[in-house]
Amino acid sequence: MRTNNLSKGVCPVRSVLDGIGGKWSILILDILGEKGTMRFGEINKVLGDISQKMLTSTLRLLEADGIVSRKMYAEIPPRVEYELTELGRDLLPNIRNLIAWGHKNIEVIQRNRESFKKNI
Amino acid sequence: MRTNNLSKGVCPVRSVLDGIGGKWSILILDILGEKGTMRFGEINKVLGDISQKMLTSTLRLLEADGIVSRKMYAEIPPRVEYELTELGRDLLPNIRNLIAWGHKNIEVIQRNRESFKKNI
DNA sequence: CAGTATCCGGATGGATACTG
DNA sequence: CAGTATCCATCCGGATACTG
């Protein structure tokens, strides 16, 4: 399926993974998968320490890939709702597995990091 | 399990995901999982367009987490071999699933990106 | 061979102010 | 409310040169 050359031109999967490999994408997908539909401010609040700028650009990226949908309501004040598309819901289990793995192994990894620091 | 607050202090899983969320980590884990044991130069060659610097630092990061092991042989010229640890092999299926998902949906995503660009 | 050291440009990401 | 625009510091990552 894959050749033994992973350079960018030969392995286009990299461009896909780059999209969801961003600093915030996984978190956003996870929380959207859990809540179903969320407003901009709601996501912003749940994530806690993301800036408006990063949230906007990450949502745009996911929207461009067709992983997240964006619905704007012509109201005052404006309301914008985000949710996973079918593609996004298909991706979700993979994300969830990764997060679950992280949870399961977080103590081990933190110990590994500690002992690695000492053996320098 | 998880609260509704994903900020860094509250959700330590983020630090774990940050490690494997690097630009090259997924690729390296995948290829190591396939080949079993690889030398530095071999990985460098397969990845094609990674710099020595990035390969070194990514390998160090994965090593610190205990996901990759590093064995150095006192020879001239030196030989260093990398392979997945048990923890790394446990992580591998998740990585593989993500890559498989990327392969499966790459055409759709590329089309989505195209049409998104036009509708601006 | 498998790195380390250094330099450097560009991308990333935060803070702030402003707008429909 | 949900952004956009701008400025700015930091980090990322490539190129190059050097070393055990």
Side-chain angles (χ1 to χ4, degrees), chain A residues 23-24 49 51-54 78:
Chain A
K23 190 178 174 185
W24 299 100
D49 56 351
S51 66
Q52 246 185 353
K53 180 182 171 183
M54 287 312 300

Side-chain angles (χ1 to χ4, degrees), chain A residues 46-49 103 106, chain B residues 1-14:
Chain A
V46 171
L47 259 42
D49 56 351
H103 264 118
I106 185 161
Chain B
M1 247 12 121
R2 189 173 36 55
T3 69
N4 283 334
N5 188 330
L6 296 179
S7 57
K8 208 139 200 173
V10 182
C11 181
V13 172
R14 276 177 47 179

